[in-house]
Amino acid sequence: MLCDLAHNFPPKVAQFLERDRGLKRNFREESVTDMLMFSLVGLRPFGVSVDFPDEPTTGGDMEWVFAAPRDINGGRYLRIILQAKRAQFANTKGGYWYYQHLDHEKGKQANTLVSHASGRPGGMSTLPLYIFYHPNSALSPKTASSLPAVDGVNLVFAHQVAPVVAGGCARKDKTVEAWRGSFMRLSDILCWPFVSVPPPPGPAGSIGFQIIGGPARTLPFTPSFHPDVVAARLQRRLETAGGKFPLPADLIRRVSAAEGIPADLQRAIDGNVTLADRKELVRPRVIFTTQMSREHPSYVRAVRHG
């Protein structure tokens, strides 16, 4: 399921990217992003839906939306925009791994990403993240000093990146080791327990289990990635974000979900995306739908400890 993907996909990315070592042309971020999107397509029964824009996009970015359509006041949602960068090897004395294009356009890309998200594009609450892809040779386990592991896939808050790359930055500030202390794992935002939900059974975002040998009934369960729970976990990660480039205190913003799911997003949740909706998509989109609401018995505990 989703958590299995979060643990199994990063090693596959690392193996895939290792294959272009020594080639004149490397696989680009878009290749890995497409792999991730297609890996999510088969999780529709678990409340995961995938949409691609009509026109090809550049930059390897995508957006993920966590949605709770059954919640009060028109539902809750949180949108995350992810900008992808892959690590390259600097074949110098000693060698090291770095993100060659982290300061793309002298940092304009990062600044635009943060500014765009802060402006609530389309009226939607949005959080910007960087998603880093690493080949096998760049991987490293978590250290005794609590340095995070370098996985095939890691995440960093864009609010940490933007100030560092503003105006362009030195190679030493693009290295994997420079950013490692700020890494999150893919499982940090994709691993969630399932909770039971009341009838009716079978809505999008829930999974039914038939009791073998028992009465002909279905017990519905839903993943607990309620937008508020996702926001609370990311807020805790944001407040403790460290490494070489800790987030300035005045830049720590409140990560929060929004109320009232927009009509076009609701149509996507319902599986009724129109041609006009698809034309408005500017990047690949994944919607993670849960039937959990703020009235669910597990909600408060999930927000506190999820």
Side-chain angles (χ1 to χ4, degrees):
M1 294 187 290
L2 195 57
C3 194
D4 292 330
L5 175 68
H7 288 295
N8 295 330
F9 184 74
K12 292 179 180 178
V13 169
Q15 294 169 12
F16 173 73
L17 294 181
E18 190 71 18
R19 294 175 185 174
D20 69 13
R21 294 290 307 276
L23 297 180
K24 291 183 178 179
R25 185 180 184 277
N26 295 133
F27 295 118
R28 300 184 63 185
E29 293 91 346
E30 291 90 343
S31 299
V32 183
T33 296
D34 282 345
M35 287 172 57
L36 177 53
M37 296 292 289
F38 285 123
S39 295
L40 290 165
V41 167
L43 298 181
R44 178 76 186 185
F46 301 97
V48 180
S49 58
V50 176
D51 288 302
F52 288 90
D54 289 334
E55 299 297 329
T57 58
T58 59
D61 58 338
M62 56 188 154
E63 65 180 64
W64 295 352
V65 182
F66 291 87
R70 289 180 63 180
D71 217 325
I72 59 175
N73 297 328
R76 300 277 289 177
Y77 70 93
L78 173 68
R79 177 166 65 174
I80 298 172
I81 293 182
L82 301 107
Q83 177 65 51
K85 297 292 179 186
R86 67 152 292 171
Q88 305 280 355
F89 185 71
N91 195 16
T92 60
K93 185 177 180 180
Y96 57 88
W97 290 93
Y98 75 113
Y99 310 108
Q100 182 177 4
H101 303 295
L102 187 63
D103 60 348
H104 183 63
E105 297 180 326
K106 294 187 176 181
K108 181 180 178 181
Q109 184 185 60
N111 181 68
T112 299
L113 176 65
V114 171
S115 298
H116 177 68
S118 299
R120 296 173 58 88
M124 295 180 67
S125 177
T126 305
L127 176 71
L129 296 176
Y130 271 81
I131 183 166
F132 292 146
Y133 302 140
H134 307 113
N136 259 339
S137 298
L139 304 190
S140 185
K142 182 178 179 180
T143 69
S145 59
S146 297
L147 266 179
V150 180
D151 295 327
V153 180
N154 287 105
L155 304 161
V156 169
F157 291 104
H159 287 80
Q160 287 180 269
V161 176
V164 177
V165 302
C169 67
R171 180 75 67 90
K172 64 182 178 63
D173 292 335
K174 299 180 185 180
T175 65
V176 172
E177 283 303 312
W179 288 99
R180 182 178 177 180
S182 302
F183 281 176
M184 293 182 288
R185 312 189 83 167
L186 189 61
S187 57
D188 283 337
I189 57 175
L190 290 187
C191 277
W192 307 95
F194 275 69
V195 295
S196 61
V197 289
S206 66
I207 182 71
F209 294 93
Q210 189 70 39
I211 305 300
I212 299 176
R217 63 193 181 96
T218 299
L219 298 178
F221 291 84
T222 192
S224 60
F225 48 59
H226 187 283
D228 290 347
V229 179
V230 178
R233 181 183 288 184
L234 287 172
Q235 180 66 33
R236 288 190 286 272
R237 301 293 191 275
L238 185 64
E239 291 171 354
T240 58
K244 183 179 179 181
F245 308 112
L247 193 67
D250 60 333
L251 288 181
I252 294 180
R253 61 193 290 268
R254 183 71 187 171
V255 182
S256 60
E259 206 164 63
I261 294 176
D264 60 328
L265 184 56
Q266 185 62 56
R267 287 194 293 272
I269 292 170
D270 296 337
N272 298 320
V273 177
T274 67
L275 291 176
D277 291 335
R278 199 171 298 283
K279 286 183 178 180
E280 291 298 317
L281 286 178
V282 296
R283 59 183 66 84
R285 179 181 66 188
V286 186
I287 303 175
F288 302 90
T289 305
T290 179
Q291 299 307 310
M292 187 180 188
S293 72
R294 283 170 285 181
E295 298 176 328
H296 193 280
S298 299
Y299 171 82
V300 173
R301 183 180 184 278
V303 169
R304 289 177 179 172
H305 307 289

